[in-house]
């Protein structure tokens, strides 16, 4: 049986919920299909010590302020999960889970959404599947002969299992710095980054990142010079544990190694180090495999968009993922605005 609906939102993390909030206000008929059994999106999989890089008041979805977490300036992932669960209940968002969207196909005037729980037919599909599900790891010579353990940010849960082990953390972004700080004092840590780590000034947190992303979008839209956005400011928010490890000493970065042997990394000058584990904090890519049948990807693997709307398929919108679907749209505070503009556009299309 195929279920007919105006809009299918794929993914019930923060982006899917922000879409739902604005679609509801716009009077659209929609359903949100989420692959997980519980609310919370990627936050359900964060490591134990992960804290937001902005205070609660600056980490809110549209309509409802995130309440502060007792005793914490920067809320932890558990607090975010609670907030998202409350959010979808409060606004009675029609989330169905667990439902995994396997493919979206053109079907005459509609799009057919095939899932592991049946088929939906929609006028518009919003893809909000995030990036957590597609960890990226660069290829490196010897990567397959290293005898130790290799894992990605997405598989890291805390320092306990690495106590006393020789651990190499790769990556100069927020995840790399936070995981390196988390391991300092537990493991024999080596932190490697492709370039010298760039810490943001201590007084700057996620609020400034949002402002910078917005200013960049506005400049580009107005045909002005690229301000550089967030990357012009730095890469690493100096959240308290990172600041503390940086000041105490263990967050001294080594350059990136050039290859791996069975025992560990080797640098360009021939020096090597023995390692028990390598943690790749090397980012994520958008989880878009369900859209493959639409054939929209460019040669970089991206789906070009105007705002949130796919250039090659006006019935498809993409929300979250990164700045390419709206300034800071992969953050809690940033996703609201593109979600609102998207809902307006969809309502106009549906008439
Ligand atoms: P997700 O949270 O990944 O949700 C997507 C949902 O879609 C999931 O429930 C998933 O199961 C589901 N899904 C995926 N594929 C399918 C499918 N085929 N069918 C059905 N459902 C599917 N942001 C901030 O605002 N502040 C921070 O401090 C912050 N810190 C971060 C720290 C780290 C280490 C990382 C990685 C990110 C951080 N972010 C932060 C960024 C951002 O908030 C998250 O990446 C956020 O989870 C993105 O939300 P989303 O809804 O787009 O995707």
């Amino acid at each position: 049986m195929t279920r007919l609906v105006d809009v299918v939102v794929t993914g019930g993390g923060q982006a899917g919920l922000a879409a739902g909030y604005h679609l509801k206000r716009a009077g659209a008929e929609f359903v949100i299909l989420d692959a997980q059994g519980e609310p919370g999106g990627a936050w359900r999989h964060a490591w134990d010590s992960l804290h937001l890089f902005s205070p609660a008041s600056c980490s809110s979805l549209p309509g409802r302020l995130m309440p502060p977490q007792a005793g914490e300036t920067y809320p932890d992932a558990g607090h975010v999960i609670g907030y998202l669960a409350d959010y979808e209940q409060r606004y009675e968002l029609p989330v169905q889970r667990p439902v995994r969207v396997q493919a979206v196909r053109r079907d005459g005037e509609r799009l057919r959404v095939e899932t592991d729980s049946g088929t939906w037919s929609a006028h518009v599909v919003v893809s909000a599947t995030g990036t957590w599900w597609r960890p990226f790891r660069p290829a490196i010579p010897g990567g397959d002969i290293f005898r130790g353990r290799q894992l990605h940010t997405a598989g890291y849960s805390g320092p306990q299992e690495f106590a006393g082990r020789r651990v190499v953390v790769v990556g100069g972004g927020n995840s790399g710095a936070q995981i390196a700080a988390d391991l300092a004092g537990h493991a024999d840590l080596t932190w490697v980054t492709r370039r010298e780590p760039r810490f943001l000034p201590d007084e700057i947190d996620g609020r400034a990142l949002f402002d910078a992303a917005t200013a960049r979008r506005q400049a580009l839209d107005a045909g002005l010079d690229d301000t550089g956005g967030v990357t012009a400011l730095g890469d690493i928010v100096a959240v308290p544990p990172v600041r503390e490890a940086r000041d105490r000493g263990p967050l001294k970065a080594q350059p990136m190694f050039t290859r791996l042997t069975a025992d560990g990394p080797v640098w360009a000058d021939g020096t090597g180090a023995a390692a028990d584990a390598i943690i790749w904090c090397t980012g994520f890519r958008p989880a878009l495999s369900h859209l493959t049948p639409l054939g929209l990807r460019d040669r970089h693997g991206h789906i070009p968009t105007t705002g949130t709307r796919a250039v090659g398929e006006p019935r498809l919108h993409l929300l979250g993922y990164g700045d390419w679907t709206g300034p800071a749209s992969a953050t809690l505070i940033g996703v609201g605005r593109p979600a609102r503009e998207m809902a307006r556009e969809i309502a106009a299309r549906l008439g």
Side-chain angles (χ1 to χ4, degrees), residues 11 13-15 34-36 41-43 52-53 99 101 129-130 133 330-332:
Q14 64 200 39
D34 187 42
Q36 299 199 94
W43 297 105
L52 293 184
F53 48 63
V99 179
V101 174
T129 46
W133 329 95
T331 65
L332 286 153

Side-chain angles (χ1 to χ4, degrees), residues 10-17 33-36 38 40-43 45 47 50-54 58-59 84 97 99-102 128-133 153 174-175 178 284 287 289-290 319-321 329-335:
T10 305
Q14 64 200 39
L17 300 189
L33 307 178
D34 187 42
Q36 299 199 94
E38 308 276 343
W43 297 105
H45 305 274
W47 58 92
L50 178 68
H51 282 68
L52 293 184
F53 48 63
S54 314
C58 299
S59 304
L84 295 178
R97 56 166 68 94
V99 179
R100 175 168 296 281
V101 174
Q102 291 160 328
T129 46
T131 59
W132 186 263
W133 329 95
T153 310
N174 284 297
S175 308
Q178 285 194 30
F284 297 84
S289 61
H290 56 296
L319 187 65
Y321 301 114
S329 68
T331 65
L332 286 153
I333 194 175
V335 73

